[in-house]
């Protein structure tokens, strides 16, 4: 009886190792190739560039009017950019496509991003930590 139990335990152990190996192999197949990683990184970089330019254009008048200082401007630009890019990448990061800047920067998206920037400006002006 003990011999049968040992044999059964050995069979289960091997099958568990095989399952672990199969899972690892399946996960490795799903990883993007290095060229896909580079392409994705390029798309994310383009996305950030477009968003940073817009955020700076919205926040610049506040800096010129001395409503916020340079350090606050940098904080607002960084936080707002991160928030917008994070929201864009939230779904599927592979679907980030900035082929046409004008299509990406639709009127509705510009309005939403402007609202985000203005909220951050209000927060830094009131002295709240961002």
């Amino acid at each position: 009886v003990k011999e049968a139990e040992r044999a059964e335990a050995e069979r289960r152990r091997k099958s568990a190792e095989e399952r672990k190996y199969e899972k690892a192999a399946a996960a490795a197949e799903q990883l993007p190739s290095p060229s896909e990683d580079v392409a994705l990184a390029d798309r994310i970089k383009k996305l950030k560039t477009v968003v940073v330019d817009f955020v700076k254009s919205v926040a610049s008048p506040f800096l010129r009017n001395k409503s916020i200082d340079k350090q606050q401007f940098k904080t607002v630009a960084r936080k707002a950019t991160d928030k917008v890019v994070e929201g864009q990448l939230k779904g599927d990061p592979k679907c980030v496509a900035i082929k046409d800047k004008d299509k990406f920067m639709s009127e509705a998206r510009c309005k939403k991003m402007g609202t985000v920037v203005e909220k951050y400006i209000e927060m830094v002006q009131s002295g709240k930590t961002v």
Side-chain angles (χ1 to χ4, degrees), residues 2 34-35 60 64 73 76 80 84 94 98 104 108 112 120 124 130:
K2 290 224 177 205
S35 62
S60 291
R64 274 188 251 122
F73 175 82
V76 167
V84 171
K94 291 183 180 179
I98 304 289
F104 177 76
K112 286 181 185 177
Y120 277 115
V124 297
V130 180

Side-chain angles (χ1 to χ4, degrees), residues 2-65:
K2 290 224 177 205
E3 189 63 36
E5 288 175 1
R6 281 191 206 134
E8 181 65 22
E10 181 68 22
R11 185 185 61 77
R12 273 193 239 129
R13 186 181 62 77
K14 282 185 180 177
S15 63
E17 287 177 2
E18 289 172 359
R19 284 193 302 263
K20 203 183 290 184
Y21 174 76
E22 289 170 359
K23 282 183 181 178
E29 288 174 5
Q30 291 178 352
L31 290 175
S33 68
S35 62
E36 289 176 353
D37 281 346
V38 170
L40 180 61
D42 285 345
R43 290 194 305 247
I44 292 172
K45 189 174 182 179
K46 286 180 187 176
L47 171 69
K48 278 189 174 184
T49 303
V50 169
V51 173
V52 165
D53 290 343
F54 180 78
V55 167
K56 284 182 178 179
S57 72
V58 171
S60 291
F62 292 93
L63 180 64
R64 274 188 251 122
N65 294 340

Side-chain angles (χ1 to χ4, degrees), residues 54 105-118:
F54 180 78
M105 297 299 288
S106 65
E107 187 176 332
R109 184 170 278 141
C110 288
K111 196 178 254 187
K112 286 181 185 177
M113 288 174 24
T115 304
V116 168
V117 173
E118 289 170 3

